[in-house]
Amino acid sequence: MIPPQEASVRRREIEDKLKQEEETLSFIRDSLEKSDQLTKNMVSILSSFESRLMKLENSIIPVHKQTENLQRLQENVEKTLSCLDHVISYYHVASDTEKIIREGPTGRLEEYLGCMAKIQKAVEYFQDNNPDSPELNRVKFLFERGKESLESEFRSLMTRHSKVVSPVLILDLISGEDDMEAQDDMTLDHLSENVLHDVIRISRWLVEYGRNQDFMNVYYQIRSSQLDRSIKGLKEHFRKSNSSSGVPYSPAIPNKRKDTPTKKPVKRPGTIRKAQNLLKQYSQHGLDGKKGGSNLIPLEGRDDMLDMEIDAYIHCVSAFVKLAQSEYQLLMDIIPEHHQKKTFDSLIQDALDGLMMEGENIVSVARKAIIRHDYSAVLTVFPILRHLKQTKPEFDQVLQGTAASTKNKLPGLITSMETIGAKALEDFADNIKNDPDKEYNMPKDGTVHELTSNAILFLQQLLDFQETAGAMLASQGKVLGNLQLNLLSKSKVYEDPALRAIFLHNNYNYILKSLEKSELIHLVAVTQKTAERSYRDHIEQQIQTYQRSWLKVTDYISEKNLPVFQPGVKLRDKERQMIKERFKGFNDGLEELCKIQKAWAIPDTEQRDKIRQAQKTIVKENYGAFLHRYASVPFTKNPEKYIKYRVEQVADMIERLFDTSA
């Protein structure tokens, strides 16, 4: 039961709280009414705004469309006016460019080409749009006249600025091959930069727009003349220098050149002297040192003018290569790519034909000398032949892409020189064939005979360290054939078949290795396809013949006729004696052969080691098996008397064969 006083207080609290809630509710109602009113006002405003926007849109869209149509009409008018201006301009091209075309392109090439471009466009326009217009004939006439002027300007520029290369500059260019520092400076500027630029521009225009190729003929004719005159000028320089000082000279490199030129002696063909002296010696004294006949004339006594001609020719060949290379570099800038090879082929013909004709004249002189039995005269061909072969890779590179007839000119000259040399070799081959030395001066140790070394030395000198006379030998194989026959005859002097085999082996091997070293073997194979194999077969045959000399040693210890015994069974006297004889025969034979063959010689280390090794293998196998069977057999009370050598000792004895210093 709540007291009355407390209940009264609580009721008042509830009434106060209710009154507050009613006031809050009244406030919320007022707020909602205001919000509804604001919403109605906003909706009214938006509806009014939408209505006004629709009215505005209906008014502006027609105006926009009308403006757009007006802009399109304006653009069409402007395009029409532009086209009219463009068309009208073609009717003014002739009058605007006629004066410049008539005066020509000299001194104002770019302006001239600009006018030609306008004329060409006018021609194309009238041909496409108004082919019956008199303006077409007028601009076509101007175009043809302008093209002729450009062709004339091309010819004029090439004629006025193409100069002969001076002999001094050519010699500097050639000598620059050995001076890498100088070689960078040694370039030929046939045309100045400005002239080259104009020539290239005209060339490209004539090809692209002028549809003209005649200028290429003009180009090669002018440059061909300069190339030919440059080489002839170099030859004349040699003649004048020879008549005055005897030594053609080339001043130093331009950046080192002072007032006084530096004289450079021409490279002399050193090998020709040694080869000529050998040929002279062989012909006068014979290959055996005995007196013989000779019609050789010492080269030193020959006319110095001939030497000058040879030196001049060699330098002219080098000059042709360098100048032709330079011409091709120039041509690449001026002539279209698909016409370069043909134009270059035509350009070099005169100079190349001149060189080839002069070379054939030298061959003709040598041929006449051989008819007079002057064999040393052919040696004048060798330095030229050597130089032609050395220069041939550069020649081939320069002539790459030219006609086959052009490429074959140098090989044809080389063949002529090789053929004339072959005739001289025939006489040399006869000397080898008829060498009578059989008993005297034969090497006691079976080494290479002087005939072989001298013959190969001469052939190597003819090769001039490479292949100068290689084709000569390939076409005339008498030298090697006669040498082989003579060696077979000489070998019969040796009574010992083994020494005879060593002698032939050494000589055959020396010939083969010498030919291989000089690469002559490949040229010999042209006509003697089995030459290399034949020599190898001969060498192997002689090795086998030599090895048979050891049969009298190895036969003592071979298994045939050896007594068969059972382990633990006592040997009979006959069996013991047979074993003793086998040991003694082997020992005596081994000692005798080693003593004799130690004094023999095999100069080729590889062959010497090969023969020793093969012999060691054979003897060690047989002797090892023999020792294994009888070393422990009680066939004697003094085994050291018979078992004198161990297998290793036998191998060491064989290892000292063919070594006189051991």
Side-chain angles (χ1 to χ4, degrees):
M1 187 77 182
I2 302 174
Q5 186 178 0
E6 184 177 348
S8 177
V9 172
R10 188 169 182 182
R11 186 172 53 252
R12 283 196 301 272
E13 290 176 354
I14 292 172
E15 289 174 354
D16 291 341
K17 188 173 182 182
L18 179 61
K19 185 179 180 179
Q20 289 176 357
E21 293 293 336
E22 288 174 350
E23 289 176 355
T24 301
L25 180 61
S26 177
F27 175 77
I28 291 174
R29 284 194 186 100
D30 292 341
S31 296
L32 286 173
E33 289 175 358
K34 289 180 182 180
S35 177
D36 288 340
Q37 186 63 38
L38 288 172
T39 300
K40 290 177 181 179
N41 292 338
M42 181 60 69
V43 170
S44 177
I45 291 170
L46 289 174
S47 297
S48 176
F49 185 71
E50 182 180 6
S51 176
R52 291 180 181 182
L53 280 177
M54 290 179 65
K55 290 179 181 180
L56 180 62
E57 182 178 354
N58 292 333
S59 300
I60 290 177
I61 286 177
V63 174
H64 174 72
K65 290 182 178 179
Q66 186 177 5
T67 302
E68 188 179 50
N69 291 333
L70 289 173
Q71 288 177 340
R72 189 178 297 112
L73 288 173
Q74 183 179 0
E75 290 176 358
N76 290 338
V77 169
E78 290 176 352
K79 289 181 179 179
T80 302
L81 291 174
S82 176
C83 289
L84 285 173
D85 289 340
H86 182 68
V87 170
I88 292 172
S89 69
Y90 288 127
Y91 287 86
H92 295 289
V93 167
S95 58
D96 291 343
T97 60
E98 185 173 8
K99 182 175 182 296
I100 296 175
I101 296 301
R102 185 173 62 252
E103 292 175 353
T106 304
R108 53 178 178 183
L109 179 62
E110 292 303 324
E111 180 184 7
Y112 195 89
L113 292 177
C115 291
M116 291 297 293
K118 293 179 182 179
I119 295 171
Q120 183 180 7
K121 289 181 180 178
V123 170
E124 292 172 354
Y125 171 79
F126 289 121
Q127 284 179 336
D128 293 339
N129 299 280
N130 194 1
D132 298 327
S133 171
E135 287 296 327
L136 175 60
N137 293 331
R138 189 176 178 189
V139 290
K140 287 179 70 174
F141 172 78
L142 280 178
F143 185 82
E144 292 300 321
R145 183 171 181 177
K147 184 171 72 171
E148 291 174 0
S149 295
L150 286 172
E151 294 171 358
S152 178
E153 179 70 3
F154 183 89
R155 178 187 293 273
S156 176
L157 287 173
M158 291 301 304
T159 302
R160 285 187 288 114
H161 296 281
S162 292
K163 306 297 182 183
V164 173
V165 183
S166 70
V168 169
L169 187 56
I170 294 176
L171 289 173
D172 282 343
L173 186 67
I174 296 173
S175 63
E177 294 177 352
D178 302 324
D179 190 344
M180 297 305 295
E181 181 180 351
Q183 197 169 6
D184 294 337
D185 299 329
M186 288 279 86
T187 56
L188 294 177
D189 295 325
H190 296 287
L191 302 175
S192 68
E193 186 175 349
N194 292 335
V195 172
L196 180 59
H197 174 270
D198 288 353
V199 168
I200 292 173
R201 291 284 286 121
I202 296 174
S203 167
R204 291 178 179 174
W205 189 93
L206 290 173
V207 172
E208 187 173 357
Y209 304 109
R211 305 293 189 269
N212 179 282
Q213 298 181 4
D214 292 341
F215 77 94
M216 300 180 197
N217 296 331
V218 172
Y219 178 87
Y220 91 70
Q221 289 168 1
I222 294 173
R223 294 307 307 170
S224 175
S225 175
Q226 302 307 321
L227 174 62
D228 190 41
R229 289 168 60 193
S230 297
I231 294 176
K232 288 179 179 177
L234 176 63
K235 185 175 181 181
E236 185 64 24
H237 175 76
F238 269 80
R239 288 176 178 169
K240 291 180 179 179
S241 299
N242 183 72
S243 61
S244 58
S245 63
V247 180
Y249 71 89
S250 166
I253 302 164
N255 60 356
K256 298 180 181 179
R257 186 176 298 153
K258 302 299 182 183
D259 295 336
T260 304
T262 303
K263 291 188 176 182
K264 294 183 179 180
V266 178
K267 295 178 181 178
R268 309 297 299 171
T271 305
I272 188 174
R273 308 296 180 180
K274 293 189 293 183
Q276 188 273 342
N277 289 336
L278 272 175
L279 186 56
K280 176 181 177 182
Q281 176 183 348
Y282 292 166
S283 297
Q284 288 181 340
H285 301 289
L287 292 173
D288 59 346
K290 297 177 175 60
K291 276 287 182 180
S294 173
N295 291 317
L296 290 177
I297 302 174
L299 191 63
E300 290 79 3
R302 300 183 64 83
D303 191 355
D304 288 339
M305 183 60 70
L306 180 59
D307 280 349
M308 184 281 299
E309 292 288 344
I310 293 172
D311 293 334
Y313 186 74
I314 287 175
H315 280 77
C316 285
V317 169
S318 293
F320 172 81
V321 172
K322 293 298 179 184
L323 292 176
Q325 288 173 341
S326 181
E327 287 291 343
Y328 192 75
Q329 291 300 318
L330 177 65
L331 177 144
M332 288 174 64
D333 292 329
I334 299 173
I335 304 299
E337 182 177 1
H338 53 288
H339 291 285
Q340 289 173 1
K341 295 297 184 182
K342 182 178 179 181
T343 304
F344 180 70
D345 196 338
S346 301
L347 189 156
I348 62 174
Q349 285 303 315
D350 288 347
L352 182 59
D353 287 344
L355 283 176
M356 297 301 105
M357 184 178 298
E358 189 173 349
E360 290 294 348
N361 289 339
I362 293 173
V363 171
S364 178
V365 170
R367 184 179 295 110
K368 293 176 181 178
I370 292 176
I371 293 175
R372 301 193 305 269
H373 305 293
D374 178 7
Y375 302 108
S376 65
V378 77
L379 295 175
T380 59
V381 173
F382 293 157
I384 296 176
L385 181 56
R386 175 186 63 182
H387 188 71
L388 291 179
K389 287 190 172 184
Q390 290 173 343
T391 312
K392 187 176 182 299
E394 288 186 271
F395 247 99
D396 293 342
Q397 185 176 6
V398 169
L399 301 183
Q400 186 177 5
T402 58
S405 58
T406 302
K407 294 178 182 178
N408 292 334
K409 288 180 179 179
L410 179 65
L413 178 59
I414 290 175
T415 300
S416 295
M417 291 187 172
E418 289 176 333
T419 301
I420 199 64
K423 291 185 65 66
L425 280 182
E426 290 181 4
D427 184 72
F428 179 68
D430 290 339
N431 282 331
I432 291 178
K433 179 180 180 181
N434 299 323
D435 176 41
D437 185 3
K438 294 181 180 179
E439 299 180 3
Y440 304 100
N441 298 325
M442 289 292 288
K444 295 180 180 180
D445 57 0
T447 190
V448 178
H449 195 279
E450 185 180 4
L451 170 69
T452 303
S453 59
N454 286 342
I456 295 299
L457 174 62
F458 177 68
L459 293 179
Q460 287 175 334
Q461 288 175 326
L462 291 182
L463 283 171
D464 203 4
F465 311 113
Q466 294 296 325
E467 297 179 358
T468 304
M472 302 178 193
L473 186 56
S475 61
Q476 300 290 338
K478 293 174 59 178
V479 174
L480 294 179
N482 289 348
L483 178 59
Q484 184 174 337
L485 291 173
N486 202 318
L487 289 173
L488 282 171
S489 177
K490 291 180 185 300
S491 68
K492 296 176 181 178
V493 171
Y494 298 111
E495 296 181 0
D496 190 332
L499 180 55
R500 187 183 309 151
I502 291 297
F503 170 77
L504 290 175
H505 164 273
N506 284 334
N507 283 268
Y508 292 154
N509 184 64
Y510 178 82
I511 294 171
L512 178 60
K513 290 296 180 65
S514 299
L515 295 181
E516 289 178 333
K517 184 177 180 181
S518 64
E519 299 182 2
L520 180 58
I521 192 67
H522 302 303
L523 297 172
V524 175
V526 173
T527 55
Q528 301 179 28
K529 298 185 183 301
T530 61
E532 182 177 4
R533 186 178 66 190
S534 176
Y535 273 112
R536 295 192 186 282
D537 290 345
H538 288 323
I539 292 169
E540 187 60 33
Q541 181 181 355
Q542 299 309 320
I543 292 176
Q544 293 175 4
T545 300
Y546 161 75
Q547 289 176 340
R548 284 197 288 271
S549 67
W550 281 82
L551 290 177
K552 61 183 179 181
V553 176
T554 56
D555 277 351
Y556 283 105
I557 55 176
S558 62
E559 292 187 2
K560 61 181 181 180
N561 300 325
L562 286 175
V564 179
F565 60 91
Q566 297 295 328
V569 178
K570 185 177 181 180
L571 295 176
R572 293 176 295 177
D573 292 342
K574 182 179 180 181
E575 292 173 337
R576 289 196 297 271
Q577 185 61 32
M578 182 179 293
I579 296 173
K580 291 178 182 178
E581 290 177 355
R582 293 299 178 91
F583 270 107
K584 186 177 185 304
F586 172 79
N587 294 335
D588 292 345
L590 175 67
E591 293 167 356
E592 180 184 2
L593 277 186
C594 288
K595 180 180 179 180
I596 294 173
Q597 296 183 7
K598 179 182 177 181
W600 296 353
I602 300 179
D604 188 320
T605 304
E606 181 181 351
Q607 286 291 313
R608 183 168 66 240
D609 292 343
K610 174 185 175 182
I611 292 174
R612 284 173 174 171
Q613 186 60 42
Q615 205 57 54
K616 281 194 295 184
T617 300
I618 296 172
V619 176
K620 284 173 63 178
E621 288 180 357
N622 283 271
Y623 187 58
F626 186 75
L627 277 183
H628 180 73
R629 173 176 291 192
Y630 294 108
S632 59
V633 175
F635 66 91
T636 178
K637 296 180 179 179
N638 301 309
E640 66 277 0
K641 177 180 178 181
Y642 297 97
I643 308 177
K644 296 175 63 175
Y645 303 105
R646 300 188 307 277
V647 174
E648 292 74 14
Q649 288 177 305
V650 172
D652 185 62
M653 292 171 68
I654 297 175
E655 184 65 29
R656 291 195 295 270
L657 296 179
F658 316 117
D659 187 359
T660 56
S661 63

